Amino acid sequence: MRDMLEKIKRRSTFIDKVNPITKISTGLLMFILVVLMHDPNQLFYLSVLMMAVLIILSGVRLKYLAIVLMLFLVFGAFSAMYMVLYGAGATTLFRFGLIHITEESLVRGVHVMMRGLTLSFFGSLVIFTTRLTDVFYSLMIQLGLKPKFAYSFMAAIRMVPIIAGEYMMLRQTRKVRKPLIHKRHVSGLKGFITTVITLLSQSIRRAYRLGVAMEAKQFDDGPRSYYYETRFTPYDILFLVMMLVIVFTSFVTGSTFSLIGVTDAR
Amino acid sequence: MERKRGLTLTDVLITVVIGLVFAVIYSIWGAVYTVLQPLGLHLNELVYGMWFIAAVVAVLILRKPGVAILAEFAAGAGETIVTLQFDAFLMVYALLQGLAVEIVFAFTKYESTRMMTAVWAGIAAALITLPLDWFYGYLAEVAAWNIILMFTLRIISGALIAGVLAHLIYQALRETGVLKFVGSRNMKHHEGL
């Protein structure tokens, strides 16, 4: 995971040094804020500013960033579709059978899409600037998460590539034995269950073995010292101030320079 | 080895790994759901139940308190890692859906492995996020027949995928014999390694 992150990183920024707890709590606050925002103008500026922060401060190569942004926009557009096509409203723009596009539903659809985008931009900023190990160490040290949960998560995440590899192997085996096995074991419901069972049973076996070994090595609860130390630093304050400024700016610009006349998407 | 009540590290590890296997499936499923979305008539809701399946499968396997929430959270967290976006929204949903499954199994004192229990758990998980969806997606503004259709399809999906399919997976998994490693039923099976 870390290698992959280093491959796409161009430079490191101060956000790398912010404590993961700060970033995750800010993420939860952002979620609440975005759900409570009903003015599409303000939300538009917030999403644009978050995109700018992602581009400038994530430190990821622009090539990868472009792909990520494209995906977000495409998925966002898809998720806005049902509201645009079926939402209720008074001013009709287009009507075809069950599809009924109104001005209100269009605004609302775009609003829901911008909500998703704002959260996605912030979310990928966190992902691109945080090492997974630090998240769990920080949860243990700063928030007192029980070590058995933290170490289980860290160990399990290392198994994901093995699971993926196993799946690829399974696919290749099936390709080789295609003439010998019945088609229903490969595709459809039966095929799905067969695949899941193979992956699950192997993973449970591996997890059990690893679990016994880790319990023997006392990766359990109890007083312990930590290999990595995480702490709160002035960078956390800087990060919080930056987020406050962004939110404040979007509120002010949203109410001063309105792009559309609608101030409430409801 | 003395058996402790509650979750041991091995239990937690197995639960998280089950969650992460499903996290990979969830991520692929996200694409299926999104592609079905513009078709309209909420046909995409028919696949929604897949997102609770980790909780049901894990709690059927381990049958201990807290497993459903943990598995669903691991699956949700894993999904955000696989798709490279940290999504607070998704985490909240995962926790709530895990909680719904947890409540249903708590009623049976974590003893039942019947298919009906799994079906009820799937339905509960489909229902629990209704208030959040209502608020986040402005569903009050969508035509009423559309909302009813959406939630009917979602409940059917919860019952079929998270209920019946999860139970089929559990049965097949029991036949593989791998479950003797798991849980508190029988502790004399270390030789299997």
Side-chain angles (χ1 to χ4, degrees), chain A residues 78-90:
Chain A
F78 269 115
S79 67
M81 219 56 122
Y82 89 100
M83 178 57 81
V84 174
L85 294 182
Y86 302 104

Side-chain angles (χ1 to χ4, degrees), chain A residues 1 31 35 38 78 82-83 86 88 108 115 120 123 127 148 152 156 197 201 203 205 207-208 215 219 266, chain B residues 7 9-10 12-13 16-17 20 38 40 81 84-86 89 135-139 141 146 169 178 181 190:
Chain A
M1 220 64 193
F31 171 66
V35 168
H38 297 298
F78 269 115
Y82 89 100
M83 178 57 81
Y86 302 104
R108 223 177 286 128
R115 278 182 172 174
S120 302
I127 287 281
K148 70 177 174 194
S152 297
I197 294 304
S201 57
S203 304
R205 272 196 197 102
Y208 179 76
E215 272 177 25
F219 275 94
R266 277 173 292 187
Chain B
L7 296 173
L9 183 127
T10 311
V12 176
L13 189 56
V16 174
V17 166
L20 288 181
I81 293 164
L84 271 189
Q85 38 178 323
F86 167 74
F89 190 57
F135 198 61
Y136 181 84
Y138 290 133
L139 291 185
E141 315 293 335
N146 213 310
I169 290 176
V178 75
F181 296 134
H190 296 290

Side-chain angles (χ1 to χ4, degrees), chain A residues 217-233:
Chain A
K217 291 201 171 185
Q218 298 295 313
F219 275 94
D220 233 323
D221 300 341
R224 60 185 311 116
S225 57
Y226 298 98
Y227 186 70
Y228 297 104
E229 288 288 339
T230 55
R231 53 177 69 85
F232 290 113
T233 55

Side-chain angles (χ1 to χ4, degrees), chain A:
Chain A
M1 220 64 193
R2 194 189 306 174
D3 300 339
M4 203 182 109
L5 205 58
E6 265 159 24
K7 217 182 282 172
I8 60 173
K9 279 280 232 193
R10 189 162 42 112
R11 60 199 160 80
S12 70
T13 63
F14 86 90
I15 299 192
D16 292 341
K17 300 192 187 92
V18 177
N19 192 303
I21 302 280
T22 315
K23 286 185 247 187
I24 291 171
S25 332
T26 315
L28 289 176
L29 288 176
M30 284 284 285
F31 171 66
I32 297 167
L33 175 81
V34 164
V35 168
L36 293 177
M37 274 172 88
H38 297 298
D39 187 340
N41 296 304
Q42 293 172 347
L43 192 59
F44 173 75
Y45 286 109
L46 184 62
S47 58
V48 168
L49 284 172
M50 281 317 301
M51 187 167 81
V53 169
L54 174 65
I55 293 171
I56 298 165
L57 289 178
S58 71
V60 170
R61 288 176 197 281
L62 286 177
K63 194 171 73 183
Y64 294 100
L65 220 45
I67 298 170
V68 171
L69 289 178
M70 276 262 285
L71 282 178
F72 284 167
L73 286 173
V74 170
F75 277 89
F78 269 115
S79 67
M81 219 56 122
Y82 89 100
M83 178 57 81
V84 174
L85 294 182
Y86 302 104
T91 333
T92 301
L93 296 176
F94 179 76
R95 185 191 269 280
F96 177 78
L98 284 172
I99 297 171
H100 182 203
I101 303 179
T102 63
E103 199 184 310
E104 287 86 347
S105 68
L106 186 63
V107 170
R108 223 177 286 128
V110 173
H111 191 77
V112 172
M113 173 179 135
M114 288 194 299
R115 278 182 172 174
L117 282 180
T118 311
L119 293 178
S120 302
F121 291 151
F122 186 82
S124 27
L125 180 71
V126 173
I127 287 281
F128 286 144
T129 56
T130 314
R131 286 193 334 196
L132 221 50
T133 323
D134 287 348
V135 176
F136 291 107
Y137 271 89
S138 181
L139 282 173
M140 277 193 287
I141 297 170
Q142 264 89 36
L143 290 188
L145 176 76
K146 283 192 173 169
K148 70 177 174 194
F149 292 110
Y151 286 119
S152 297
F153 264 92
M154 278 190 271
I157 285 165
R158 301 283 170 235
M159 283 191 207
V160 172
I162 305 179
I163 298 171
E166 222 160 50
Y167 173 69
M168 295 314 289
M169 208 197 311
L170 196 62
R171 266 178 51 141
Q172 280 165 350
T173 336
R174 280 176 173 173
K175 214 179 267 175
V176 172
R177 296 183 185 163
K178 211 172 190 175
L180 300 176
I181 44 180
H182 198 280
K183 196 171 158 238
R184 76 191 167 98
H185 292 290
V186 181
S187 57
L189 185 65
K190 180 95 184 186
F192 175 77
I193 292 181
T194 318
T195 313
V196 172
I197 294 304
T198 315
L199 295 180
L200 273 180
S201 57
Q202 281 304 92
S203 304
I204 290 174
R205 272 196 197 102
R206 207 178 292 121
Y208 179 76
R209 247 176 273 166
L210 187 62
V212 170
M214 282 170 79
E215 272 177 25
K217 291 201 171 185
Q218 298 295 313
F219 275 94
D220 233 323
D221 300 341
R224 60 185 311 116
S225 57
Y226 298 98
Y227 186 70
Y228 297 104
E229 288 288 339
T230 55
R231 53 177 69 85
F232 290 113
T233 55
Y235 288 114
D236 293 272
I237 300 167
L238 183 61
F239 181 70
L240 287 177
V241 169
M242 182 189 82
M243 291 309 296
L244 277 178
V245 168
I246 287 172
V247 171
F248 186 72
T249 317
S250 64
F251 273 129
V252 172
T253 45
S255 357
T256 329
F257 309 104
S258 305
L259 295 172
I260 46 173
V262 188
T263 55
D264 195 331
R266 277 173 292 187

Side-chain angles (χ1 to χ4, degrees), chain B residues 79-157:
Chain B
E79 195 183 349
T80 68
I81 293 164
V82 173
T83 56
L84 271 189
Q85 38 178 323
F86 167 74
D87 197 341
F89 190 57
L90 201 147
M91 302 277 188
V92 174
Y93 268 53
L95 282 175
L96 280 175
Q97 288 158 352
L99 182 70
V101 175
E102 195 76 53
I103 290 169
V104 171
F105 275 88
F107 270 118
T108 70
K109 295 194 182 119
Y110 299 96
E111 276 165 8
S112 170
T113 52
R114 290 185 315 130
M115 186 180 271
M116 271 322 283
T117 320
V119 169
W120 281 116
I123 292 173
L127 284 173
I128 199 165
T129 53
L130 173 67
L132 259 181
D133 277 325
W134 191 272
F135 198 61
Y136 181 84
Y138 290 133
L139 291 185
E141 315 293 335
V142 178
W145 64 268
N146 213 310
I147 296 291
I148 294 168
L149 181 70
M150 174 175 165
F151 274 91
T152 317
L153 289 179
R154 189 178 287 186
I155 288 167
I156 292 171
S157 169

